[in-house]
Amino acid sequence: MIVELVNDLKNKNLEAEEYVERTYEKIGKYDKYTNAFITIRSKEEILREVKENINKGGKLAGILIAIKDNISTKGIRTTCASKMLEDYIPPYDATVIEKLKKEGAVIVGKTNMDEFAMGSTTETSYFGPTRNPWNLERTPGGSSGGSGAALAAGYVELALGSDTGGSIRAPAAYNATFGLKPSYGTVSRFGLVAYANSLEQIGPMARNAEDLGLLFSIIAGPDDKDATTLDLSLNFEFKEQNVKSVRIGILSDILEMSEKPVSGVIKDVIDKLSSEGALIEDTKLGNAEYALPAYYIIAMSEASSNLARYDGVRYGYSKYMEGNWREVYAKNRGEAFGIEVKRRILLGSFILSAGYYEEFYLKALKVRNLIKKSLDELFTKYDILVSPTMPILPPKIGEVINDPVRMYAMDLNTVIANLAAIPALSLPAGFYNDLPIGLQLMGKYLSDIYLINISSYIERNVTKLYNLTAPIKI
Ligand code: GLN
């Protein structure tokens, strides 16, 4: 637990040198296989900061944290896993980074991800795929796969990810760790390199519920630099929330669409929740089949507009500068964006073009509203909604990457929360052939802390799965 680690460092039960050494030894030994980091800072620099911060104090005094590489870190390269930003060093910190630094956290490095967070497996990275520490032949999920793998491998106890349609929860599920996609507006997006603004949030990733809550309480809160943040502070009190008499709706349509090994493990957990006194009922999300197309239409449209800024003049790769501007623009972008990013820019631009806008984009917005409405209705009957986080086991490296439609289908269960702005949390549910399976909890808008506290009860009393470290088999 972070609270104990902070104390141990403060009381010198654990020396800063040993803590840093231990971390670097693990990363040095295993990250050539897992490829969780794009950038790792130097040991000397980190050790100095850890020592300084232990003296200064704070809720994370001296704690090492891994940051997804689409979150701006002053003076530390931030690539978005793209050739486009291969050498980009931000001159400023994202608001979440400022908040972490204020509490004494020390950034150990920047984690691998799908290029511009577009993907579900961390294979679209320009820096090569991240491999799942539980099974190196498998993907760690994505797009925050580096952060998930860094937690599962035990390199760090805390990480940040971003979640536009599942990018925190997929890696949480596939790495047997914890991840929260916060309610929209609770965490500042200032300094997050935008993919699809109306859907995404930065969120905490950790190895247990308590640490997840601590990290969330630090990064959440209003921010003048992000007008979409809410002017309220969520009162964070971490306590196990017993599931007795909690009304749990099982999204049975989604559950039945999952692979057998996945639904099997999830049903076991549901049975256990029921014997703990939870009030379990099968239910359905109306329009579930439209969630995925609506999500991809909205996400690609926003992406095509956001990524227009990489013109090689103001931002990004600028190998070609001479000649006709159109050609220069096309050449730089043609060379520096990967195939998945290009696909989305093209489709997004098409969707937003005259005539098609009404046919696709407006329809998708209507579906988004309908989904919100059906969720509002469900939350009058249930305190939380439960489903598998991912419909399939972690795919093998190479298995879905060349089949975009199959890859998009992996996000079936996760995109719902982004469309509806509600919080969703993934925690370990169990294993099938040593492959992790995640349980997703969704709650009504701003019930983030409630979800964290429920997940804490589940990890301690139901699944008994937390603080797991993968036995990396080389
Ligand atoms: N897999 C989804 C996508 O590619 C979600 C990604 C994310 O949440 N950043 O859009």
Side-chain angles (χ1 to χ4, degrees):
M1 299 306 125
I2 292 299
V3 175
E4 285 151 26
L5 190 54
V6 169
N7 262 326
D8 284 348
L9 288 169
K10 188 169 138 205
N11 304 331
K12 298 204 179 290
N13 288 338
L14 175 64
E15 292 294 337
E17 283 82 1
E18 193 193 328
Y19 174 50
V20 172
E21 189 56 48
R22 186 166 88 185
T23 305
Y24 271 76
E25 205 179 283
K26 267 190 220 157
I27 295 175
K29 198 159 159 199
Y30 295 116
D31 204 40
K32 46 181 177 287
Y33 305 104
T34 52
N35 196 24
F37 286 99
I38 291 177
T39 302
I40 300 172
R41 296 177 67 211
S42 87
K43 192 160 82 180
E44 294 65 39
E45 210 175 4
I46 302 278
L47 182 59
R48 187 170 35 80
E49 280 181 25
V50 168
K51 283 182 174 166
E52 271 170 26
N53 289 4
I54 292 172
N55 288 333
K56 274 193 236 153
K59 286 184 194 146
L60 300 176
I63 299 298
L64 298 174
I65 184 164
I67 307 290
K68 187 176 182 180
D69 212 19
N70 59 351
I71 299 173
S72 299
T73 43
K74 187 175 177 176
I76 307 172
R77 183 169 77 130
T78 299
T79 69
C80 287
S82 179
K83 184 173 181 171
M84 185 56 89
L85 294 174
E86 192 177 0
D87 306 311
Y88 170 60
I89 298 178
Y92 68 100
D93 274 328
T95 297
V96 291
I97 300 296
E98 278 179 0
K99 285 176 184 266
L100 288 173
K101 285 185 175 171
K102 234 178 242 154
E103 294 295 345
V106 175
I107 298 166
V108 64
K110 303 298 294 287
T111 54
N112 204 357
M113 53 185 278
D114 282 293
E115 187 179 1
F116 284 102
M118 297 174 188
S120 312
T121 59
T122 315
E123 289 172 288
T124 70
S125 169
Y126 173 62
F127 299 91
T130 297
R131 291 175 177 268
N132 191 321
W134 292 96
N135 182 329
L136 294 171
E137 283 172 20
R138 304 262 170 174
T139 80
S143 64
S144 318
S147 290
L151 291 167
Y155 302 150
V156 286
E157 301 294 316
L158 297 177
L160 286 187
S162 70
D163 190 312
T164 311
S167 279
I168 286 176
R169 289 160 286 157
Y174 286 165
N175 288 287
T177 58
F178 292 69
L180 172 73
K181 194 293 280 182
S183 296
Y184 191 81
T186 53
V187 179
S188 168
R189 285 179 296 109
F190 179 76
L192 171 68
V193 179
Y195 158 21
N197 315 48
S198 81
L199 298 160
E200 61 208 6
Q201 284 283 283
I202 294 174
M205 299 173 76
R207 287 150 55 82
N208 59 68
E210 184 181 326
D211 292 349
L212 188 78
L214 176 66
L215 185 53
F216 176 63
S217 70
I218 291 168
I219 60 172
D223 180 13
D224 290 344
K225 296 184 188 129
D226 175 357
T228 62
T229 51
L230 301 166
D231 193 12
L232 61 88
S233 22
L234 296 176
N235 260 336
F236 184 72
E237 195 199 341
F238 177 75
K239 56 171 196 289
E240 268 180 31
Q241 164 72 48
N242 197 312
V243 293
K244 195 160 187 290
S245 303
V246 170
R247 300 166 305 164
I248 300 182
I250 309 298
L251 293 178
S252 52
D253 40 354
I254 286 178
L255 183 61
E256 294 316 325
M257 278 191 262
S258 313
E259 234 175 30
K260 275 272 143 15
V262 174
S263 54
V265 164
I266 298 297
K267 281 178 187 163
D268 275 355
V269 177
I270 293 169
D271 287 346
K272 284 188 198 146
L273 287 169
S274 167
S275 34
E276 291 278 330
L279 308 173
I280 307 274
E281 214 173 87
D282 278 345
T283 186
K284 273 191 176 65
L285 175 76
N287 303 308
E289 68 272 37
Y290 300 120
L292 202 57
Y295 166 79
Y296 271 97
I297 286 171
I298 295 169
M300 288 178 184
S301 304
E302 293 188 23
S304 70
S305 147
N306 273 322
L307 271 61
R309 63 170 64 95
Y310 303 100
D311 53 12
V313 180
R314 292 171 304 165
Y315 298 100
Y317 184 81
S318 54
K319 182 165 153 197
Y320 306 99
M321 293 303 280
E322 300 293 318
N324 169 307
W325 185 77
R326 263 175 190 276
E327 267 172 33
V328 166
Y329 185 76
K331 268 194 193 157
N332 282 326
R333 286 165 68 88
E335 222 170 271
F337 282 138
I339 179 158
E340 185 59 34
V341 173
K342 284 182 191 160
R343 180 165 22 242
R344 296 188 188 203
I345 293 173
L346 289 173
L347 286 170
S349 310
F350 168 74
I351 291 163
L352 292 179
S353 61
Y356 295 102
Y357 179 87
E358 292 78 9
E359 195 162 339
F360 295 111
Y361 188 70
L362 283 187
K363 249 189 213 157
L365 291 185
K366 283 183 190 153
V367 168
R368 187 175 190 173
N369 256 328
L370 288 176
I371 287 171
K372 262 191 202 149
K373 277 202 189 121
S374 17
L375 281 165
D376 283 348
E377 174 121 11
L378 286 177
F379 285 123
T380 62
K381 290 195 245 155
Y382 306 107
D383 301 308
I384 55 173
L385 295 172
V386 159
S387 72
T389 308
M390 301 303 284
I392 58 172
L393 292 165
K396 291 205 169 108
I397 303 268
E399 195 180 327
V400 297
I401 188 70
N402 296 318
D403 188 346
V405 175
R406 238 179 108 199
M407 189 176 77
Y408 301 164
M410 289 169 67
D411 304 332
L412 191 68
N413 312 353
T414 50
V415 297
I416 298 162
N418 303 77
L419 287 169
I422 59 172
L425 185 153
S426 180
L427 74 158
F431 288 83
Y432 178 82
N433 284 347
D434 297 331
L435 296 172
I437 291 166
L439 179 75
Q440 177 174 246
L441 313 177
M442 290 194 278
K444 63 171 182 271
Y445 191 53
L446 298 183
S447 68
D448 307 58
I449 290 164
Y450 181 69
L451 290 187
I452 294 167
N453 288 339
I454 291 260
S455 74
S456 167
Y457 183 86
I458 299 178
E459 72 170 10
R460 303 291 150 141
N461 303 288
V462 181
T463 57
K464 305 194 166 74
L465 300 174
Y466 56 98
N467 289 352
L468 303 175
T469 304
I472 304 173
K473 293 189 195 124
I474 298 162

